[in-house]
């Protein structure tokens, strides 16, 4: 800052009026404090890049009064010991990294005497009273401390502390961990006790809130504070305060971001570029993505957009509407903080009053409505969603159900999965069903439950990002979630069709343990349902669409291995009579050839067996001549329902046999409406089965471990779908209690959180971050 400007600032700051606040006043005050505290530095080899070099006794300019000059240039001598003892918090020797314009492969440090006070961190040449101060870092509420870490210690042999200030940072080192922690704690405590700094924008927002009903004062505030209005000039610092230091201090996976201050300025530059951009979508998505990853920037961007949509040079033209379109996208993606939200609502109302019956009025109304519904999104809007938002319209979404069926529904940026399910229940006339339905993300091999509160637009965006093979594309499906009553479903209803399709999906994925003959009969019924009576004029579907091919593969693999094991025994007996080196070489080449032979033989045999199996299925299909659509579905379901696990959701789990954590085997955990059972994969009979009356409690012990407690036994499972298991068990447990209550049953042992009987059933689910319980 020029000296003349600094003097003017010192003389006039007490007379500064409310409506004439200058942008950057807080930073000027801090700069003044550093000027007052910092002595003029002599040239030295270990000065940091932020230190200036000057003579010991600079001449005072004529235009600067003596009293002002004495405030700025004070001697760099320590205070008297008694006065210093009252101010000093901690002092001692520390190593400071030497700044260099050339990056060195090794650490260069120099030892200095550091003194921490309530206002600053100073360092001196030595610990004597008249020692010269070499530098000062003024501590404010925006400073930050990076604590010592093992990585730096292993590389350098020093424990490091980094203190970030507005203009520069100190990288300090000690040889002892406890000393570094002591300094870090002391500096952080000083920072924490500082009053929060406020920027001019924050002060003006408060002024606007206080004078909300006084139109004359409000207009005066806007007129005399250009910081509130649209500008074509660059922004050199953020509108809101941010802590000093790199983004990586507070956020992981920051993808090359520097500091929050720098990122805020970059985004403002993008806003100015957006006004003249032909295709605004990439810039809008870039800004939204930055806000998604750096949450503290959201309020800042809202303030920047409010600024750029206030008093623009050309109201309502394309450049002005670009900012309103981005503000629309922001409003459906993130909510600002409380104070900025009030400011935003005021701005929207003011814009509507200023420009009624215009595009600005329509955007402001749309944004106002969105703010009432918005919850933080997991993904930024897709290109398609941004296009409809720019036109303030809704978008369409395709939901698949019952095999190959699908329907198109209209959603907006706030529609949840629960709302879509309710809409489909009405559309498909399933309102009276006793079963529960949900949305699933699904491809040919896997599926994921979509939570009730998930925004459907986020799901669509994530599915579009997963670019897979056409036959393995992810899609959004409407399916049965909880089978509470599968016996009383009308055969002509969509619900019966849903039951049939999910039963067939269970069969083809291998979750129905049955003989090959039974599976072939089911495949024939599927053909009768799909194509009706036998004909040669319609191409047959692939075998994997009718039959669980992995069952065929397992049988063929076993027969091939038995055949090759016989040949292997013969080869070993021959090599027994050869010399050691020759036998070893022969055995190695034989093993390699055996592997190739096994793969080739497996491929040939699998193709042959698949053809035989398909022929058998077709022969059985011919025998179903005359069976209609509903009869084929009913017969198929009657066969599948014979298995005790029908209607249950199967989860692949690992079972721990003891507290030491030894894994026994992989099993199926079948969570059904009446009981929970364990099956060996491929076995029709359960290993264990217990109804909900026997369960004392269940809980997630960690992210991938689930525990079920019976009266005399505990089961510990490992699964990546712990939350889905817990949610299903809660639903079925609740239904079990309600059913018994309706039947008037008494004297049963209730499900409790700790295995104790209660007058109410209490079901507990815990994970690493939440604890949820409910009582009926």
């Amino acid at each position: 800052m020029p000296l003349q400007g600094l003097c003017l600032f010192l003389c006039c700051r007490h007379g500064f009026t409310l409506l004439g606040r200058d942008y950057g006043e807080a930073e000027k005050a801090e700069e003044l404090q550093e000027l007052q505290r910092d002595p003029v530095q002599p040239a030295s080899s270990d000065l940091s890049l932020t230190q200036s070099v000057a003579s010991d006794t600079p001449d005072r300019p004529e235009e600067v009064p003596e009293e002002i000059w004495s405030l700025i240039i004070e001697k760099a001598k320590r205070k008297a010991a008694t006065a210093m003892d009252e101010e000093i918090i901690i002092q001692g020797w520390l190593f400071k990294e030497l700044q260099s314009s050339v990056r060195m492969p090794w650490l260069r440090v120099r030892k200095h005497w550091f003194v921490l006070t309530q206002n600053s961190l100073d360092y001196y040449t030595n610990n004597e009273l008249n020692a010269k101060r070499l530098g000062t870092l003024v501590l404010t509420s925006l400073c930050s401390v990076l604590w010592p870490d093992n990585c730096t210690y292993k590389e350098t042999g020093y424990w490091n502390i980094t203190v970030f200030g507005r203009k520069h940072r100190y990288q300090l080192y000690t040889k002892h961990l406890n000393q570094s922690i002591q300094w870090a704690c002391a500096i952080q405590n000083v920072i924490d006790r500082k009053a929060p700094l406020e920027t001019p924008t924050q002060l003006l927002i408060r002024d606007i809130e206080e004078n909300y009903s006084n139109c004359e004062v409000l207009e005066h505030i806007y007129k005399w504070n250009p910081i509130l209005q649209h500008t074509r000039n660059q922004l050199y610092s953020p509108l809101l305060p941010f802590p000093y230091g790199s983004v990586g201090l507070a956020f992981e996976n920051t993808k090359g971001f520097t500091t929050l201050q720098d990122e805020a300025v970059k985004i403002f530059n993008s806003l100015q570029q957006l006004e003249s951009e032909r295709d605004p979508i990439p810039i809008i998505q870039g800004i939204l993505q930055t806000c998604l990853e750096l949450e503290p920037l959201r309020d800042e961007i809202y303030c920047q957009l409010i600024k750029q949509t206030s008093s623009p040079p050309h109201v309502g033209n394309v450049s002005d509407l670009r900012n309103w379109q981005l503000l629309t996208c922001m409003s459906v993606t993130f909510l600002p903080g409380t104070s900025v939200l009030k400011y935003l609502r005021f701005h929207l109302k003011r814009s509507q009053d200023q420009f009624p019956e215009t595009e600005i009025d329509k955007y402001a109304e749309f944004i106002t409505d969105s703010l009432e519904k918005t919850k933080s999104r997991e993904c930024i809007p897709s290109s398609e969603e941004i296009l409809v938002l720019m036109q303030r319209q809704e978008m369409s979404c395709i939901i698949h159900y019952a095999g190959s069926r699908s329907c198109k529904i209209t959603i907006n940026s706030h529609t949840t999965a629960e709302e879509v399910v309710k809409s489909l229940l009405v559309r498909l006339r399933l309102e009276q069903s006793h079963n529960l339905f949900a949305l699933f993300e699904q491809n040919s091999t896997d599926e994921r439950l979509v939570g009730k509160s998930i925004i459907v637009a986020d799901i669509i965006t994530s599915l579009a990002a997963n670019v897979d093979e056409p036959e393995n594309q992810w899609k959004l499906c409407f399916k049965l979630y909880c089978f509470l009553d599968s016996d009383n479903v009308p055969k002509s209803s969509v619900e019966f069709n849903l039951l049939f399709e999910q039963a067939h999906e269970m069969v083809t994925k291998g979750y129905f343990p049955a003989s090959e003959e039974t599976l072939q009969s089911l495949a024939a019924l599927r053909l009768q349902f799909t194509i009706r009576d036998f004909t040669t004029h319609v191409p047959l579907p692939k075998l994997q669409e009718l039959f669980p091919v992995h069952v065929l593969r397992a049988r063929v693999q076993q027969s091939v291995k038995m055949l090759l094991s016989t040949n292997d025994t013969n080869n070993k007996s021959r090599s027994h009579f050869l010399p050691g080196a020759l036998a070893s070489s022969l055995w190695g080449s034989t093993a390699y050839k055996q592997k190739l032979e096994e793969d080739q033989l497996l491929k040939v045999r699998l193709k042959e067996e698949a053809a035989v199996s398909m022929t058998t299925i077709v022969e059985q299909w011919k025998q179903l001549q005359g069976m209609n659509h509903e009869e084929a579905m009913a017969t198929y379901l009657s066969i599948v329902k014979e298995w005790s696990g029908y209607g249950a959701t199967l989860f692949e789990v690992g079972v721990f046999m003891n507290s030491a954590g030894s894994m026994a085997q992989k099993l199926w955990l079948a969570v059904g409406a009446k009981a929970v059972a364990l099956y060996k994969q491929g076995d029709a009979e359960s290993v264990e089965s217990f109804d909900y009356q026997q369960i004392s409690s269940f809980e997630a012990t960690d992210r991938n471990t689930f525990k079920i407690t019976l009266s005399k036994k505990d089961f510990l499972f490992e699964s990546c779908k712990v939350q889905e298991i817990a949610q299903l068990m809660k639903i079925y447990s609740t239904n079990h209690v309600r059913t018994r209550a309706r039947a008037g049953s008494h004297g049963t042992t209730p499900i409790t959180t700790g295995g104790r009987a209660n007058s109410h059933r209490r079901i507990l689910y815990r994970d690493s971050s939440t604890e949820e319980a409910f009582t009926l």
Side-chain angles (χ1 to χ4, degrees):
M1 177 183 295
L3 291 176
Q4 186 174 0
L6 178 60
C7 297
L8 181 62
F9 172 73
L10 286 170
C11 296
C12 299
R13 61 173 299 153
H14 296 295
F16 232 68
T17 62
L18 177 68
L19 302 180
R21 288 193 180 96
D22 187 18
Y23 181 56
E25 179 183 356
E27 291 192 348
K28 290 179 181 178
E30 185 180 339
E31 184 174 310
L32 172 64
Q33 188 177 1
E34 292 190 6
L35 283 172
Q36 291 174 336
R37 297 184 61 88
D38 285 346
V40 180
Q41 300 297 334
S44 176
S45 60
D46 62 334
L47 290 178
S48 68
L49 293 178
T50 58
Q51 294 169 337
S52 60
V53 178
S55 62
D56 289 338
T57 56
D59 295 332
R60 174 176 62 86
E62 295 180 359
E63 64 273 15
V64 180
E66 178 66 32
E67 60 273 13
I68 300 299
W69 184 251
S70 63
L71 289 175
I72 299 173
I73 307 299
E74 66 175 4
K75 295 181 180 180
K77 294 184 178 181
R78 307 278 296 280
K79 295 183 179 180
T82 54
M84 284 298 294
D85 289 342
E86 295 176 2
E87 187 183 359
I88 292 174
I89 297 172
I90 185 174
Q91 58 183 341
W93 292 102
L94 295 173
F95 293 94
K96 182 177 181 294
E97 183 175 356
L98 300 180
Q99 302 293 332
S100 174
S101 57
V102 180
R103 185 174 180 82
M104 297 294 184
W106 59 86
L107 180 66
R108 297 175 63 242
V109 296
R110 179 164 294 180
K111 194 173 183 180
H112 296 287
W113 181 258
F114 278 81
V115 176
L116 175 65
T117 66
Q118 293 292 347
N119 296 313
S120 65
L121 177 64
D122 306 324
Y123 69 99
Y124 298 81
T125 53
N126 54 57
N127 59 347
E128 298 177 1
L129 288 179
N130 61 347
K132 196 174 287 291
R133 182 168 54 218
L134 300 177
T136 294
L137 192 149
V138 177
L139 297 175
T140 68
S141 61
L142 301 182
C143 294
S144 57
V145 180
L146 184 61
W147 286 56
D149 63 277
N150 285 322
C151 182
T152 305
Y153 178 74
K154 290 177 181 178
E155 292 177 357
T156 65
Y158 291 95
W159 296 99
N160 69 308
I161 313 165
T162 306
V163 186
F164 293 90
R166 181 177 66 88
K167 295 195 300 182
H168 48 275
R169 66 179 181 179
Y170 286 174
Q171 290 183 295
L172 311 177
Y173 297 86
T174 68
K175 293 185 177 181
H176 304 286
L177 176 61
N178 58 348
Q179 185 184 8
S180 63
I181 293 177
Q182 183 183 14
W183 274 92
C185 287
I187 297 170
Q188 189 63 58
N189 288 336
V190 171
I191 295 171
D192 293 341
R193 286 195 294 265
K194 292 294 182 180
L197 291 181
E198 290 185 304
T199 63
T201 299
Q202 286 180 302
L203 298 173
L204 289 168
I205 290 175
R206 189 190 308 157
D207 296 341
I208 290 171
E209 184 177 353
E210 292 172 355
N211 296 278
Y212 181 82
S213 58
N214 194 328
C215 297
E216 185 179 351
V217 173
L218 288 175
E219 293 306 316
H220 201 57
I221 292 175
Y222 275 94
K223 180 179 179 181
W224 292 102
N225 290 278
I227 193 174
L228 297 175
Q229 302 174 17
H230 181 280
T231 181
R232 292 179 177 175
N233 299 324
Q234 289 186 346
L235 194 68
Y236 293 99
S237 59
L239 302 178
L240 301 179
F242 292 109
Y244 308 133
S246 64
V247 173
L249 290 177
F251 302 92
E252 297 179 358
N253 303 323
T254 48
K255 299 180 181 178
F257 294 126
T258 53
T259 66
L260 290 172
Q261 289 89 346
D262 289 344
E263 297 303 324
V265 172
K266 290 177 184 177
I267 289 182
F268 190 80
N269 293 337
S270 298
L271 293 185
Q272 293 179 318
Q273 182 184 351
L274 178 67
E275 295 180 5
S276 59
E277 195 69 24
R278 255 185 155 177
D279 181 12
I281 293 179
I283 294 181
I284 290 176
Q285 285 187 313
I287 293 173
L288 293 175
Q289 186 65 38
T290 301
C291 291
L292 178 68
E293 297 173 7
L294 301 180
E295 186 176 343
L297 283 180
R298 296 174 188 176
D299 282 0
E300 169 72 19
I301 307 312
Y302 267 111
C303 289
Q304 290 183 9
L305 286 169
I306 293 172
K307 171 184 172 65
Q308 292 301 91
T309 52
S310 297
S311 305
H314 305 289
V315 177
N317 72 352
V318 175
S319 62
D320 182 29
L321 294 183
R322 286 284 186 257
N323 289 314
W324 282 101
Q325 290 163 356
L326 175 55
L327 191 55
T328 301
C329 295
M330 285 284 293
S331 70
V332 302
T333 312
F334 317 108
L335 277 177
T338 305
S339 61
V340 177
L341 179 59
K342 291 180 181 179
Y343 179 40
L344 175 60
R345 292 186 190 280
F346 163 78
H347 172 67
L348 296 173
K349 178 65 169 60
R350 180 171 179 263
S351 298
Q352 286 184 281
D353 293 340
Q354 286 181 326
F355 312 107
E357 305 299 328
T358 63
E359 284 293 297
I360 292 176
D361 182 19
K362 295 174 184 177
Y363 276 114
E365 183 179 3
F366 185 91
I367 295 168
T368 302
D369 293 339
S370 297
L371 293 173
E372 298 293 333
K373 308 170 187 175
T374 297
K375 298 177 182 179
S376 288
R377 299 269 296 266
E378 295 181 0
C379 303
I380 64 170
S382 62
S383 301
E384 293 76 13
E385 185 180 353
I386 292 176
L387 277 174
V388 298
L389 285 172
M390 290 170 65
Q391 301 169 9
R392 306 181 301 278
Q393 296 176 353
E394 294 183 329
M395 57 183 173
S396 60
C397 168
I398 296 177
I399 306 294
H400 301 264
Y401 70 98
S404 59
R405 299 186 188 183
S406 64
C407 62
K408 184 180 290 188
I409 62 172
T410 301
I411 63 171
N412 57 38
S413 300
H414 315 286
T415 305
T416 62
E418 184 177 22
E419 292 170 338
V420 170
V421 169
K422 288 180 179 179
S423 173
L424 289 172
L425 289 176
V426 175
R427 186 166 180 171
L428 302 176
R429 299 178 182 178
L430 298 172
E431 308 102 301
Q432 304 303 320
S433 173
H434 297 293
N435 297 308
L436 300 182
F437 299 82
L439 292 182
F440 291 82
E441 299 174 70
Q442 187 176 29
N443 65 4
S444 59
T445 58
D446 196 12
E447 69 176 22
R448 299 189 292 256
L449 174 68
V450 177
K452 295 191 298 183
S453 60
I454 299 298
I455 303 296
V456 177
D458 281 346
I459 300 298
I460 296 173
T461 301
S462 63
L463 294 184
N466 293 330
V467 181
D468 294 321
E469 296 297 327
E471 62 273 9
N472 200 34
Q473 281 284 352
W474 287 89
K475 56 186 179 181
L476 201 55
C477 299
F478 173 76
K479 299 176 65 177
L480 273 157
Y481 176 48
C482 294
F483 293 74
L484 300 176
D485 181 14
S486 59
D487 298 325
N488 301 311
V489 179
K491 295 181 181 179
S492 58
S493 65
V494 174
E495 185 174 8
F496 194 79
N497 207 303
L498 286 167
L499 284 171
F500 168 70
E501 289 294 345
Q502 288 186 222
H504 178 64
E505 182 183 315
M506 180 179 70
V507 170
T508 55
K509 288 185 176 180
Y511 291 133
F512 176 64
S515 64
E516 281 195 43
E517 291 76 15
T518 301
L519 294 173
Q520 288 168 352
S521 299
L522 292 174
L525 287 167
R526 178 68 179 184
L527 282 174
Q528 184 66 23
F529 166 80
T530 307
I531 307 177
R532 303 298 174 88
D533 293 339
F534 171 77
T535 178
T536 57
H537 301 295
V538 178
L540 293 175
K542 296 178 181 178
L543 181 63
Q544 56 264 34
E545 297 176 13
L546 304 170
F547 185 88
V549 180
H550 76 279
V551 173
L552 199 63
R553 179 182 290 273
R555 178 168 61 81
V556 172
Q557 275 181 330
Q558 187 175 2
S559 64
V560 168
K561 285 183 179 179
M562 290 180 62
L563 176 63
L564 293 177
S565 63
T566 305
N567 298 335
D568 184 35
T569 303
N570 295 334
N571 291 334
K572 285 184 178 180
S573 62
R574 293 192 197 100
S575 63
H576 179 72
F577 301 100
L578 298 174
L582 182 58
S584 176
S585 175
L586 180 61
W587 170 244
S589 61
T590 304
Y592 176 71
K593 289 180 180 179
Q594 181 182 344
K595 177 63 178 172
L596 291 177
E597 183 182 355
E598 180 180 348
D599 292 342
Q600 188 174 2
L601 184 58
L602 178 62
K603 190 179 296 184
V604 172
R605 290 290 301 276
L606 189 60
K607 189 174 182 180
E608 292 174 353
E609 290 295 330
V612 171
S613 184
M614 194 67 176
T615 302
T616 306
I617 292 170
V618 171
E619 290 300 319
Q620 293 192 30
W621 176 30
K622 293 178 181 178
Q623 300 174 14
L624 301 176
Q625 189 83 11
M627 182 178 285
N628 63 27
H629 187 82
E630 290 181 2
E631 289 175 340
M633 286 195 296
T635 307
Y636 192 107
L637 280 172
S638 64
I639 296 174
V640 175
K641 284 182 178 180
E642 292 177 1
W643 180 45
S644 60
Y646 171 74
T649 304
L650 300 184
F651 299 93
E652 284 193 11
V653 297
V655 182
F656 294 98
M657 296 303 295
N658 52 48
S659 58
S662 60
M663 183 77 70
Q665 56 186 322
K666 289 287 185 180
L667 299 176
W668 282 338
L669 176 67
V671 181
K674 297 180 180 179
V676 177
L678 282 170
Y679 292 87
K680 287 185 177 180
Q681 296 183 7
D683 286 3
E685 297 298 326
S686 63
V687 178
E688 292 275 359
S689 181
F690 30 87
D691 61 30
Y692 291 98
Q693 190 174 343
Q694 297 175 270
I695 300 175
S696 299
S697 66
F698 57 88
E699 62 178 344
T701 56
D702 59 40
R703 186 177 180 181
N704 295 317
T705 310
F706 191 77
K707 181 180 179 182
I708 297 178
T709 302
L710 307 181
S711 57
K712 296 182 180 180
K713 187 186 292 186
D714 289 348
F715 289 93
L716 199 61
F717 307 106
E718 183 183 61
S719 172
C720 60
K721 296 186 176 182
V722 164
Q723 292 186 357
E724 288 187 35
I725 296 172
Q727 186 172 333
L728 269 175
M729 288 188 65
K730 286 195 289 185
I731 293 172
Y732 285 136
S733 299
T734 306
N735 181 69
H736 175 75
V737 174
R738 287 173 178 166
T739 302
R740 293 181 63 84
R742 282 195 298 266
S745 298
H746 299 284
T748 59
T749 304
I751 300 176
T752 65
T753 57
R756 298 172 297 175
N758 244 326
S759 58
H760 304 285
R761 288 191 180 273
R762 183 170 171 81
I763 303 162
L764 176 66
Y765 166 58
R766 289 196 295 264
D767 62 19
S768 58
S769 58
T770 62
E771 182 170 306
E772 178 185 356
F774 59 91
T775 303
L776 298 175

